[in-house]
Amino acid sequence: MVGPGLLSGAVAGTIFASPSAEQVRTGIATRVDREKGVLVVVMNYTGDVLSFGMAVEKAKAAGTDVQMVVVGDDVGVGRAKGGKVGRRGIAGTVLVLKIAGALAAAGRSLEEVAKVARLTADNLVSVGASLEHVHVPGRAVSQEDSLKAGEVEIGMGIHNEVGSSRAELDLPELVGRMLAQLLDQNDKDRAFVNVNSNEVVLLVNNLGGVSALELGAITDEVVTQLSKSYNIQPVRILSGTYMTSLNGLGFSITLLNVVNTDIGGPSMIELLDAPSEVTGWAAPIQKTTWEAKNTAVRTDTVKENQEIKPSGLTVDVSGASTALTTGLKKVIAAEPEITRYDTVVGDGDCGIGLKRGAEVTEIPLL
């Protein structure tokens, strides 16, 4: 997410590992414009906080004006287990980066950008869920932590960190449980933010292995339950692949409780809406756009009670039914072979398509 309106630079370690303090220091000292100061945004993981923290101190000692913001938005691990380490940083960090990046691009001071970034981080809650732990290339595959078929792990971190629970749930049940962890103020272990603003931003993030079709269905379910169960209608909806866990078979839900930035504008919503062509960023969907209904209508008229003229043809219903039923049964029986050939020369769906059509057609004839 490096580019206009977002980040000026990013420092990465190996897969699921933090970069060294020297890598980060070099990035601050030689890879970004330091004239107005540098804001370093770090996700709350021990290695990252240590490496980036040391680099920031070295940069300050060298005379660079640097501030660091640590983002911990995950409610998957509650206060009891989180202890002094606190919440992990997951997809909600993307909203901090976008808001801070847009404000910096507008020419605001480092102090203002850091203040709004911290304010955004303090008003975020996120939780993820996945059907399986991801496999890091080059490492042995462990079967110890594998999930059973149909089982989902709630609260799983983006680096394969253990979640809070496992269960066999359908999508509505899963979304309901995730939203409860985000919004239930009676859950003192996880009630980190009271989402009570008139403006709430929703981010549904693909962990890497969810199709666009599935993510659309997930987003629709989340929006529906937010409205019905919590009377929350997000003013902005972001749905897409923003922060992955390689090819993780899951998604995360983030809610931003929009508050006044107290810097005389722009607002958090305006900063999210600010244009950015950075790879990995997709613009938010406005509430009015999401709720808009298709108002297109047909203008041509259909004549009712049209006279149906007899064709004069006669049909042996019994014979036709027998012949058609026999043919349909042969189509059903041939499905495996048709599928095999279509897999070689096509996309493998011809056989099952014919079989389904034959099964539906056959029912009323038998």
Side-chain angles (χ1 to χ4, degrees), residues 327-343 348-359:
L328 291 171
K329 287 182 177 180
K330 289 184 177 181
V331 169
I332 294 171
E335 181 272 324
E337 187 174 9
I338 297 172
T339 297
R340 181 168 64 87
Y341 283 123
D342 189 42
T343 301
D349 65 345
C350 183
I352 192 66
L354 291 172
K355 180 183 177 182
R356 287 174 177 170
E359 288 173 337

Side-chain angles (χ1 to χ4, degrees), residues 230-275:
Y230 299 95
N231 195 29
I232 293 175
Q233 291 82 35
V235 295
R236 294 293 184 274
I237 298 170
L238 296 95
S239 178
T241 306
Y242 294 89
M243 181 176 290
T244 67
S245 178
L246 296 180
N247 61 338
L249 295 174
F251 65 96
S252 62
I253 303 172
T254 296
L255 296 175
L256 169 61
N257 192 54
V258 176
V259 295
N260 194 322
T261 58
D262 290 327
I263 60 170
S267 68
M268 289 183 177
I269 298 299
E270 290 172 327
L271 293 167
L272 284 174
D273 287 343

